[in-house]
Amino acid sequence: MAFSHTFGHKRKRNDISDIRGDVTKSRKLDENTREPELNVQPQESKGIPRLALSCDDIQEPITQKQLTELVLFASLGMKQPCWCHLDNQKNVSGVSVTVLEGLGQLHFYRYYLQFKNLRKRYRFRCSFLNSSGASPVLSDIFNTELGISESTGPILVGSDPVSKNNFEHQEGNRNWHPIIHKYGTETQGLTRYLLSTEEMGRKAFPLKGDPSCESFLCTESDECVTDSSPLYGLDCEMCLTERGNELARVSLVDSEGRCLLDELVKPESRILDYCTRYSGITKALLRPVRTRLKDVQAKLKEVLPRDAVLVGHSLNNDLNALNVIHPHVIDTSLLYRRESGQRFKLKFLAEVVLNKKIQCAEKNGHNPTEDALAALQLAQYFISRGPRKVVELNLDGMWQEYSRVNATPVNGSKRGPAPPPSKIRFGDALQVTGRSAVYIARASGSDTSPAAKQLKCNSDQEVLSSFKREIPSCFFTLVEFYSFAEKTRTLSDDNKYDHLYQKMLARQREMCTVYVGPLPKDCSEKSVRKLFRRCGPIHSLRLTNVTQRTHAVVVFELLEGAFLAVNSLQDLMLDGCSVKVLRPVQESTLDLEVFLGELERDLEKENVIYVSGVSEKDLHQVFSQFGPIERVVLPRKPTSGKFRKHAFIKYQNAESVEAALRSSAECNGGKMRVCKAMTPPHLCSWTGQTYQSVECDSGECKSTESEERDCSDQQLCHESEMKDLMRKLDSKVGKLFKALPDKALSIILLPGQTRTSEHFPGLCLIGVKNGSSM
């Protein structure tokens, strides 16, 4: 796995030194982005999906959009994200996104020891910036629109394209089509094709009870209709007035094609545009008309029987123009759908399905009676022939040729431009490629694609069971655990959440702090700083005289600096004085050794060492002797851009790490200090204000009072409950990971919290399952 993380503070680009024995830097350019990507895939890992994060991006939080980019690429082979690189995408066996509602990065590091599975299974971690709204990541992923060119068009399934132009009439190749997915393959009665109330609401049909439709006329309609109910074709033409689009003509035809109503209507408001090109309405045509909207409403109500089913193409526009509510409708623009889910034009459908030419150029505008009849006959064709026959017409192939022939010539050329790229939602694209998707959650109501199967569960345990049941046959899974949000909400009011955050910052500072003393009387701050910066970059140093003798409080920027100071400078002699280096003893540091040990063993820092007192030119000579090096990161100073005197080195195996740790190498006459890496590389992206938020006075943090309050019996009881809660959560996530197939990409999302005006970032954990990650 690539180690391309930048530890410490934000730095400039191109500050990495690659050292792989005598091998020079190896980079490749992505053909799409032309951005340098790290070429780090070992030979033995050929065929296994491998994820690498670029050196600078690991420090910056990733956004919802960036996360979606990775999901799209892993699932469909779309454009490779610029913030990471996924090799062997075609071999990804599945993609799973798990959202742990109510939790954020703060919870992960506050209860770090309880998240054993997350630390062992997921190699990459990034801070995550969530958008506003309730679980927007769910709908954002499923509803992301993808541009697909009709001319170049395939979405890849593995390495085999699904051809839009060479549609094969085989059962297995039809099931992904939106028409088949919604209606099946068998011929059914007209009631199967009626829009539900929910669908009508989503498509902006006027509905009874809608506040915006209070002035609308409701037709006298039965609650239920049957397959033998009569169909009526409806179409309207509008003019642009001071109030917007208003009705100017309405036509109604019965199931036999007879015209029952064809009326011109004079709008109530002043007309701004007659839209003659489309409506066929002119000023002269409307001048003698006295019919108003209420008149045609009354005629329509009188003509339609109680079990009438209205048919039209984009019928919602016609009913809104009529100010009429009718509950039983069939919309042919939604009945005949393209493979991408988009709609066809009525003119095209009439020509290729009915062999009828309507809306001809030589005519002055549309004929609503002609359009109403075309929509009616299209519905009758669909009902009588069935979805399978409609799909077998290969309308998408015909549409491509139709668009090419009917395109407007450019500069006298005989052939017009190619049709614009079509759009398809991610959830539908999965279906098009034959990859099933499922959304499993305890709560319902997320706006996911209808192409995804949705399972509502009553408990988190049921969510887990459903996942295990669905995963063998499902490529894409989106899982949400929500009960944790309910339980942690008692903790997360503004004051308590901010207090927990401040505790975390204080804990980080304490882990980076050492006390030094007693010091000689004439010892200066400069001499102490010079001595201790051999261990790592120092954030602050302060001499204190609160006791009879002088001591120093040294705060390092990195955990490794404090660790090396305690372990390598213990009992040092300074001007004849024996000086001790100790960590502060606080309640929060009682389990510090355990915590640091777990940080060392974290998968994110596997085979990574920290080296201080080193220069760039010495790295190759000194550390390549211990074994093959996979990656070296040399941080720069944020002000001057010069390399710092410390580095992070990733070896290819653990034996090289042990050899480097046992070494006593020297650089420029001084001993290099080496330890296992501990600092999470992205930590500064959300705790950058640590040293501003938590001030210390005379060696004691200002948060002492709040720490004492936390020791109350109630708080201790709550802390024990939270640890148990996080441990159970981690166990469930571990079981989810275990149920995944090999070569599956797994993403765990702790979305974070927004409290008042402050945002507490989330955390995104990413891992690819293989045999060794079990």
Side-chain angles (χ1 to χ4, degrees), residues 177-301:
H177 199 288
I179 292 176
I180 298 297
H181 175 75
K182 185 171 183 179
Y183 300 116
T185 59
E186 300 303 319
T187 302
Q188 302 177 67
L190 70 85
T191 53
R192 176 65 179 86
Y193 308 112
L194 295 174
L195 292 181
S196 67
T197 304
E198 291 76 15
E199 288 175 309
M200 291 176 69
R202 289 199 300 268
K203 302 302 179 183
F205 278 81
L207 293 175
K208 190 175 183 178
D210 188 331
S212 63
C213 303
E214 289 181 355
S215 63
F216 282 37
L217 172 74
C218 292
T219 59
E220 294 180 357
S221 178
D222 293 335
E223 290 186 6
C224 298
V225 294
T226 66
D227 290 339
S228 59
S229 295
L231 298 175
Y232 289 83
L234 177 69
D235 189 69
C236 297
E237 299 299 336
M238 280 75 80
C239 290
L240 181 63
T241 73
E242 292 176 328
R243 294 177 55 188
N245 287 322
E246 288 193 60
L247 183 69
R249 187 176 177 182
V250 57
S251 291
L252 183 74
V253 297
D254 66 13
S255 56
E256 301 299 323
R258 294 186 295 264
C259 182
L260 304 180
L261 185 65
D262 184 12
E263 291 277 353
L264 289 169
V265 182
K266 179 167 286 189
E268 299 288 345
S269 305
R270 185 170 68 92
I271 297 175
L272 304 177
D273 187 353
Y274 287 90
C275 304
T276 306
R277 179 184 174 188
Y278 304 104
S279 68
I281 306 298
T282 64
K283 183 176 182 179
L285 199 60
L286 279 186
R287 186 179 295 117
V289 174
R290 295 293 178 263
T291 304
R292 297 290 187 175
L293 177 62
K294 61 181 181 180
D295 300 320
V296 295
Q297 286 179 334
K299 289 182 181 180
L300 192 66
K301 187 174 182 180

Side-chain angles (χ1 to χ4, degrees), residues 558-766:
L558 302 171
L559 297 172
E560 292 83 357
F563 180 87
L564 287 176
V566 171
N567 288 274
S568 64
L569 298 180
Q570 190 62 262
D571 294 324
L572 66 93
M573 297 298 295
L574 193 62
D575 294 339
C577 295
S578 177
V579 177
K580 292 192 176 293
V581 182
L582 302 173
R583 291 188 181 276
V585 179
Q586 307 275 358
E587 181 185 358
S588 60
T589 61
L590 293 178
D591 62 349
L592 184 58
E593 295 304 320
V594 177
F595 192 85
L596 294 178
E598 290 299 324
L599 284 174
E600 288 181 357
R601 292 185 287 273
D602 198 309
L603 181 64
E604 190 181 35
K605 295 176 289 296
E606 186 179 39
N607 297 334
V608 184
I609 63 170
Y610 167 86
V611 184
S612 69
V614 67
S615 63
E616 180 186 9
K617 63 181 181 179
D618 297 312
L619 281 173
H620 173 74
Q621 179 181 355
V622 174
F623 287 95
S624 61
Q625 62 182 309
F626 303 121
I629 293 175
E630 191 171 307
R631 182 70 54 200
V632 172
V633 176
L634 277 168
R636 294 179 186 264
K637 295 179 181 179
T639 52
S640 65
K642 294 181 179 180
F643 286 114
R644 289 176 177 265
K645 296 297 183 181
H646 69 273
F648 291 87
I649 302 174
K650 179 176 175 62
Y651 284 101
Q652 291 186 7
N653 55 65
E655 291 75 16
S656 300
V657 172
E658 293 302 323
L661 292 175
R662 291 194 301 268
S663 70
S664 56
E666 293 189 357
C667 175
N668 297 328
K671 183 180 178 181
M672 295 184 186
R673 291 175 170 81
V674 184
C675 68
K676 288 290 295 295
M678 290 176 282
T679 301
H682 64 278
L683 200 61
C684 63
S685 69
W686 71 287
T687 57
Q689 67 271 45
T690 301
Y691 303 107
Q692 288 75 33
S693 299
V694 185
E695 298 293 339
C696 287
D697 183 19
S698 302
E700 294 184 10
C701 288
K702 289 183 178 180
S703 58
T704 303
E705 286 187 25
S706 61
E707 291 284 354
E708 291 175 357
R709 287 199 302 269
D710 271 346
C711 293
S712 66
D713 292 340
Q714 182 180 1
Q715 182 66 23
L716 289 174
C717 180
H718 175 75
E719 188 72 5
S720 176
E721 181 183 347
M722 286 297 295
K723 288 181 178 179
D724 186 57
L725 175 64
M726 299 305 169
R727 197 177 296 111
K728 291 179 180 178
L729 165 62
D730 179 72
S731 176
K732 287 184 172 64
V733 172
K735 291 175 182 178
L736 289 181
F737 188 87
K738 189 174 182 180
L740 289 171
D742 279 349
K743 302 182 181 179
L745 176 71
S746 178
I747 299 172
I748 305 295
L749 197 60
L750 286 65
Q753 296 277 342
T754 298
R755 297 282 164 183
T756 314
S757 60
E758 192 169 5
H759 181 72
F760 298 94
L763 183 68
C764 181
L765 301 96
I766 312 171

Side-chain angles (χ1 to χ4, degrees), residues 17-215:
S17 295
D18 274 342
I19 302 178
R20 300 180 185 175
D22 294 325
V23 182
T24 57
K25 293 181 181 180
S26 176
R27 292 178 180 268
K28 64 181 181 182
L29 288 177
D30 181 80
E31 293 182 356
N32 294 324
T33 64
R34 308 305 298 168
E35 290 291 328
E37 294 290 346
L38 303 176
N39 185 7
V40 295
Q41 180 178 328
Q43 189 67 29
E44 63 271 18
S45 67
K46 187 176 181 180
I48 299 176
R50 310 285 287 189
L51 186 69
L53 269 64
S54 63
C55 302
D56 294 293
D57 289 323
I58 190 65
Q59 281 197 94
E60 297 300 317
I62 67 169
T63 63
Q64 211 161 281
K65 180 180 178 181
Q66 290 174 311
L67 176 62
T68 302
E69 286 174 353
L70 174 59
V71 171
L72 295 182
F73 178 70
S75 303
L76 300 173
M78 305 299 286
K79 184 178 178 181
Q80 177 86 253
C82 61
W83 63 277
C84 65
H85 192 88
L86 179 63
D87 288 324
N88 297 314
Q89 174 273 332
K90 294 179 181 179
N91 296 333
V92 172
S93 62
V95 177
S96 176
V97 180
T98 301
V99 180
L100 309 181
E101 273 300 330
L103 302 182
Q105 188 164 194
L106 172 61
H107 294 96
F108 179 82
Y109 284 106
R110 180 68 180 90
Y111 301 101
Y112 180 83
L113 297 178
Q114 279 68 48
F115 287 110
K116 292 183 179 179
N117 282 291
L118 288 180
R119 291 188 279 113
K120 291 180 180 178
R121 312 291 193 194
Y122 297 89
R123 188 175 297 271
F124 293 104
R125 274 175 231 146
C126 303
S127 297
F128 177 74
L129 292 181
N130 200 352
S131 62
S132 59
S135 302
V137 68
L138 306 180
S139 58
D140 273 13
I141 289 177
F142 274 107
N143 295 315
T144 299
E145 287 192 341
L146 317 176
I148 302 177
S149 171
E150 291 286 351
S151 57
T152 58
I155 299 175
L156 297 182
V157 184
S159 59
D160 299 323
V162 178
S163 174
K164 294 178 181 285
N165 299 329
N166 300 304
F167 184 80
E168 300 179 28
H169 309 302
Q170 298 177 7
E171 190 68 34
N173 290 331
R174 284 196 296 265
N175 291 336
W176 52 262
H177 199 288
I179 292 176
I180 298 297
H181 175 75
K182 185 171 183 179
Y183 300 116
T185 59
E186 300 303 319
T187 302
Q188 302 177 67
L190 70 85
T191 53
R192 176 65 179 86
Y193 308 112
L194 295 174
L195 292 181
S196 67
T197 304
E198 291 76 15
E199 288 175 309
M200 291 176 69
R202 289 199 300 268
K203 302 302 179 183
F205 278 81
L207 293 175
K208 190 175 183 178
D210 188 331
S212 63
C213 303
E214 289 181 355
S215 63

Side-chain angles (χ1 to χ4, degrees), residues 534-547:
R534 298 175 188 173
C535 299
I538 294 174
H539 176 270
S540 64
L541 187 149
R542 175 170 53 85
L543 297 182
T544 175
N545 297 299
V546 293
T547 60

